[in-house]
Amino acid sequence: MTFDIVTIFPAMFEAALAAGVVGRAIDRRLLEVVVHDLRDFTTDRHRSVDDVPYGGGPGMVMKPEPIFKALDAIDERRGTPVTVLLMSPQGKPFTQRDAERLGAQEHVALLCGRYEGVDERVRSRVDEEVSIGDYVLSGGELPALVVLDAVARHVPGVVGDDQSVAEDSFSRGLLDFPHYTRPAVVGDLRVPDVLLSGNHQEIRRWRKQQSVERTLERRPDLLENAALDDEERQILNKIRSGVRAGGSNGRD
Ligand code: 4FV
């Protein structure tokens, strides 16, 4: 999968693209990420990428032409991206489902805004506008890295064990179950017995119970479109009908 990123701060991407799962995927050529400095597509000697807003008001607005030239160059040099994404608070909330969908595409471009945002005419070259959350950042670079990381995990082979991607939270609309590792006891904090039992049937059921309980407690909104299997549906109905399903949940 190929990513093209347009930004006025290309250096912000170096470390993140050299680390962990994404860094390894780039080394293994599973991912190709090209970061374009928007100033390379300016024509004035001040390499201006922003200007004052028509109609007045505070702050500056990103000029359309450098962005158009950057997108033209990407089209010419690397082929037209399947999807051009603009990161902005006005965008649709980015979800796991978007990550899965974009992860199946060959080529995505990510436009990173700065200042008050981009000139509205830039949206004539944008396929999707996404937001990573209802808060205002100083730039679209961090959102672009969030999207790149979430999407890259769905590129086959990027995450060692595809199973863990499939079981990722939100894949089916449920929050993840609690994770524990050695040692079994830290001070008076113990790992739940069921996880030490070796009884995989019981462990699998306990984890489902935990995911459903946590989701109901912390993100009941997710349950509306969660793809629960019969066992999870049964657990949810039991909880909702006030009767805890089968034995202690290891948190008492
Ligand atoms: C943002 C978000 C975000 C707004 C003005 C960049 C900043 C500046 N992008 N999700 N939340 N962008 O705050 O995606 O141009």
Side-chain angles (χ1 to χ4, degrees):
M1 179 170 189
T2 295
F3 290 91
D4 281 281
I5 299 173
V6 178
T7 171
I8 63 171
F9 294 123
M12 282 183 71
F13 292 85
E14 277 151 27
L17 295 178
V21 166
V22 170
R24 271 197 305 282
I26 292 170
D27 296 345
R28 294 161 53 211
R29 303 251 176 287
L30 293 170
L31 292 179
E32 185 191 13
V33 182
V34 176
V35 180
H36 305 267
D37 184 341
L38 185 59
R39 293 191 190 282
D40 295 345
F41 301 94
T42 59
T43 52
D44 66 312
R45 63 191 176 80
H46 300 299
R47 291 162 64 81
S48 310
V49 294
D50 63 318
D51 204 339
V52 296
Y54 274 120
M60 300 293 273
V61 175
M62 294 191 89
K63 294 164 62 66
E65 317 97 301
I67 297 174
F68 290 159
K69 287 194 174 74
L71 290 171
D72 294 345
I74 291 168
D75 290 355
E76 276 139 41
R77 290 185 215 149
R78 301 167 44 72
T80 303
V82 176
T83 302
V84 175
L85 283 178
L86 172 64
M87 311 292 122
S88 104
Q90 287 77 42
K92 188 174 77 60
F94 182 69
T95 67
Q96 182 74 353
R97 212 169 297 297
D98 297 320
E100 287 158 11
R101 173 173 55 81
L102 293 164
Q105 297 183 2
E106 246 325 290
H107 187 186
V108 167
L110 304 169
L111 297 182
C112 305
R114 278 271 156 178
Y115 314 104
E116 298 311 306
V118 299
D119 182 288
E120 189 62 20
R121 293 165 285 185
V122 168
R123 287 178 171 81
S124 64
R125 298 283 297 271
V126 167
D127 301 303
E128 293 179 37
E129 196 167 340
V130 292
S131 170
I132 64 164
D134 298 341
Y135 38 79
V136 178
L137 302 165
S138 53
E141 285 75 14
L142 297 176
L145 280 169
V146 166
V147 167
L148 188 148
D149 190 291
V151 170
R153 295 171 58 75
H154 295 279
V155 174
V158 167
V159 173
D161 171 352
D162 290 344
Q163 189 48 31
S164 82
V165 175
E167 282 172 8
D168 262 355
S169 290
F170 304 111
S171 299
R172 292 184 308 112
L174 282 177
L175 297 186
D176 217 353
F177 49 77
H179 296 279
Y180 295 86
T181 187
R182 289 180 292 208
V185 181
V186 179
D188 59 358
L189 302 173
R190 297 178 49 76
V191 170
D193 299 335
V194 64
L195 297 179
L196 309 174
S197 68
N199 177 334
H200 294 292
Q201 176 74 1
E202 269 313 301
I203 291 169
R204 200 182 45 65
R205 181 166 184 80
W206 177 85
R207 284 176 167 169
K208 286 191 177 202
Q209 175 87 25
Q210 293 295 313
S211 283
V212 173
E213 278 181 10
R214 270 181 164 192
T215 309
L216 189 58
E217 214 170 280
R218 302 179 188 186
R219 294 291 309 279
D221 57 299
L222 290 175
L223 288 169
E224 274 131 50
N225 346 314
L228 302 183
D229 64 23
D230 300 347
E231 194 173 6
E232 288 154 347
R233 179 72 50 201
Q234 195 202 31
I235 291 168
L236 180 60
N237 296 340
K238 268 214 178 77
I239 296 171
R240 280 184 167 151
S241 61
V243 181
R244 273 274 169 92
S248 78
N249 70 356
R251 277 202 289 156
D252 303 340

